[in-house]
PDB file of all heavy atoms in Angstrom:
ATOM      1  N   ALA A 217      17.351   7.890  24.869  1.00 98.00           N
ATOM      2  CA  ALA A 217      16.463   7.588  25.997  1.00 98.00           C
ATOM      3  C   ALA A 217      15.385   6.532  25.629  1.00 98.00           C
ATOM      4  O   ALA A 217      15.242   5.551  26.316  1.00 98.00           O
ATOM      5  CB  ALA A 217      15.790   8.854  26.488  1.00 98.00           C
ATOM      6  N   THR A 218      14.693   6.769  24.525  1.00 98.00           N
ATOM      7  CA  THR A 218      13.662   5.769  24.145  1.00 98.00           C
ATOM      8  C   THR A 218      14.292   4.439  23.809  1.00 98.00           C
ATOM      9  O   THR A 218      13.694   3.395  24.023  1.00 98.00           O
ATOM     10  CB  THR A 218      12.848   6.261  22.921  1.00 98.00           C
ATOM     11  OG1 THR A 218      13.732   6.480  21.839  1.00 98.00           O
ATOM     12  CG2 THR A 218      12.120   7.566  23.228  1.00 98.00           C
ATOM     13  N   LEU A 219      15.516   4.476  23.264  1.00 98.00           N
ATOM     14  CA  LEU A 219      16.222   3.242  22.931  1.00 98.00           C
ATOM     15  C   LEU A 219      16.458   2.417  24.147  1.00 98.00           C
ATOM     16  O   LEU A 219      16.156   1.225  24.242  1.00 98.00           O
ATOM     17  CB  LEU A 219      17.527   3.636  22.247  1.00 98.00           C
ATOM     18  CG  LEU A 219      18.257   2.566  21.416  1.00 98.00           C
ATOM     19  CD1 LEU A 219      17.285   1.855  20.511  1.00 98.00           C
ATOM     20  CD2 LEU A 219      19.383   3.184  20.630  1.00 98.00           C
ATOM     21  N   VAL A 220      17.069   3.089  25.186  1.00 98.00           N
ATOM     22  CA  VAL A 220      17.349   2.367  26.424  1.00 98.00           C
ATOM     23  C   VAL A 220      16.050   1.899  27.064  1.00 98.00           C
ATOM     24  O   VAL A 220      15.974   0.746  27.531  1.00 98.00           O
ATOM     25  CB  VAL A 220      18.132   3.291  27.357  1.00 98.00           C
ATOM     26  CG1 VAL A 220      18.255   2.634  28.737  1.00 98.00           C
ATOM     27  CG2 VAL A 220      19.524   3.621  26.775  1.00 98.00           C
ATOM     28  N   ALA A 221      15.043   2.729  27.022  1.00 98.00           N
ATOM     29  CA  ALA A 221      13.783   2.366  27.662  1.00 98.00           C
ATOM     30  C   ALA A 221      13.150   1.142  26.998  1.00 98.00           C
ATOM     31  O   ALA A 221      12.728   0.209  27.661  1.00 98.00           O
ATOM     32  CB  ALA A 221      12.803   3.557  27.585  1.00 98.00           C
ATOM     33  N   SER A 222      13.118   1.154  25.670  1.00 98.00           N
ATOM     34  CA  SER A 222      12.517   0.013  24.988  1.00 98.00           C
ATOM     35  C   SER A 222      13.298  -1.255  25.133  1.00 98.00           C
ATOM     36  O   SER A 222      12.723  -2.343  25.244  1.00 98.00           O
ATOM     37  CB  SER A 222      12.272   0.352  23.494  1.00 98.00           C
ATOM     38  OG  SER A 222      13.516   0.652  22.909  1.00 98.00           O
ATOM     39  N   PHE A 223      14.613  -1.112  25.240  1.00 97.00           N
ATOM     40  CA  PHE A 223      15.424  -2.311  25.462  1.00 97.00           C
ATOM     41  C   PHE A 223      15.109  -2.876  26.872  1.00 97.00           C
ATOM     42  O   PHE A 223      15.022  -4.092  27.038  1.00 97.00           O
ATOM     43  CB  PHE A 223      16.918  -1.992  25.329  1.00 97.00           C
ATOM     44  CG  PHE A 223      17.781  -3.165  25.724  1.00 97.00           C
ATOM     45  CD1 PHE A 223      18.006  -4.221  24.816  1.00 97.00           C
ATOM     46  CD2 PHE A 223      18.420  -3.227  26.965  1.00 97.00           C
ATOM     47  CE1 PHE A 223      18.779  -5.307  25.162  1.00 97.00           C
ATOM     48  CE2 PHE A 223      19.197  -4.301  27.299  1.00 97.00           C
ATOM     49  CZ  PHE A 223      19.387  -5.351  26.420  1.00 97.00           C
ATOM     50  N   HIS A 224      15.016  -1.971  27.827  1.00 97.00           N
ATOM     51  CA  HIS A 224      14.744  -2.417  29.218  1.00 97.00           C
ATOM     52  C   HIS A 224      13.388  -3.127  29.265  1.00 97.00           C
ATOM     53  O   HIS A 224      13.282  -4.202  29.866  1.00 97.00           O
ATOM     54  CB  HIS A 224      14.788  -1.220  30.131  1.00 97.00           C
ATOM     55  CG  HIS A 224      14.704  -1.598  31.562  1.00 97.00           C
ATOM     56  ND1 HIS A 224      15.694  -2.334  32.194  1.00 97.00           N
ATOM     57  CD2 HIS A 224      13.743  -1.417  32.482  1.00 97.00           C
ATOM     58  CE1 HIS A 224      15.360  -2.545  33.452  1.00 97.00           C
ATOM     59  NE2 HIS A 224      14.173  -1.991  33.672  1.00 97.00           N
ATOM     60  N   ALA A 225      12.380  -2.527  28.642  1.00 97.00           N
ATOM     61  CA  ALA A 225      11.056  -3.158  28.649  1.00 97.00           C
ATOM     62  C   ALA A 225      11.082  -4.543  28.008  1.00 97.00           C
ATOM     63  O   ALA A 225      10.440  -5.468  28.478  1.00 97.00           O
ATOM     64  CB  ALA A 225      10.083  -2.246  27.888  1.00 97.00           C
ATOM     65  N   LEU A 226      11.896  -4.678  26.959  1.00 95.00           N
ATOM     66  CA  LEU A 226      12.027  -5.947  26.306  1.00 95.00           C
ATOM     67  C   LEU A 226      12.737  -6.951  27.236  1.00 95.00           C
ATOM     68  O   LEU A 226      12.289  -8.113  27.382  1.00 95.00           O
ATOM     69  CB  LEU A 226      12.822  -5.789  25.010  1.00 95.00           C
ATOM     70  CG  LEU A 226      13.101  -7.082  24.232  1.00 95.00           C
ATOM     71  CD1 LEU A 226      11.840  -7.773  23.825  1.00 95.00           C
ATOM     72  CD2 LEU A 226      13.931  -6.761  22.974  1.00 95.00           C
ATOM     73  N   SER A 227      13.792  -6.521  27.890  1.00 93.00           N
ATOM     74  CA  SER A 227      14.533  -7.407  28.800  1.00 93.00           C
ATOM     75  C   SER A 227      13.643  -7.928  29.897  1.00 93.00           C
ATOM     76  O   SER A 227      13.664  -9.103  30.245  1.00 93.00           O
ATOM     77  CB  SER A 227      15.724  -6.651  29.407  1.00 93.00           C
ATOM     78  OG  SER A 227      16.560  -6.127  28.401  1.00 93.00           O
ATOM     79  N   LEU A 228      12.801  -7.013  30.440  1.00 92.00           N
ATOM     80  CA  LEU A 228      11.937  -7.435  31.556  1.00 92.00           C
ATOM     81  C   LEU A 228      11.053  -8.554  31.174  1.00 92.00           C
ATOM     82  O   LEU A 228      10.930  -9.587  31.900  1.00 92.00           O
ATOM     83  CB  LEU A 228      11.075  -6.232  31.976  1.00 92.00           C
ATOM     84  CG  LEU A 228      11.781  -5.159  32.825  1.00 92.00           C
ATOM     85  CD1 LEU A 228      10.810  -4.019  33.152  1.00 92.00           C
ATOM     86  CD2 LEU A 228      12.336  -5.774  34.090  1.00 92.00           C
ATOM     87  N   ILE A 229      10.401  -8.465  30.037  1.00 90.00           N
ATOM     88  CA  ILE A 229       9.441  -9.529  29.686  1.00 90.00           C
ATOM     89  C   ILE A 229      10.145 -10.785  29.226  1.00 90.00           C
ATOM     90  O   ILE A 229       9.654 -11.903  29.446  1.00 90.00           O
ATOM     91  CB  ILE A 229       8.474  -9.023  28.551  1.00 90.00           C
ATOM     92  CG1 ILE A 229       7.218  -9.893  28.589  1.00 90.00           C
ATOM     93  CG2 ILE A 229       9.100  -9.031  27.213  1.00 90.00           C
ATOM     94  CD1 ILE A 229       6.049  -9.306  27.885  1.00 90.00           C
TER      95      ILE A 229
END
Side-chain angles (χ1 to χ4, degrees):
Chain A
T218 60
L219 196 49
V220 172
S222 58
F223 174 78
H224 188 66
L226 177 60
S227 303
L228 283 179
I229 200 163

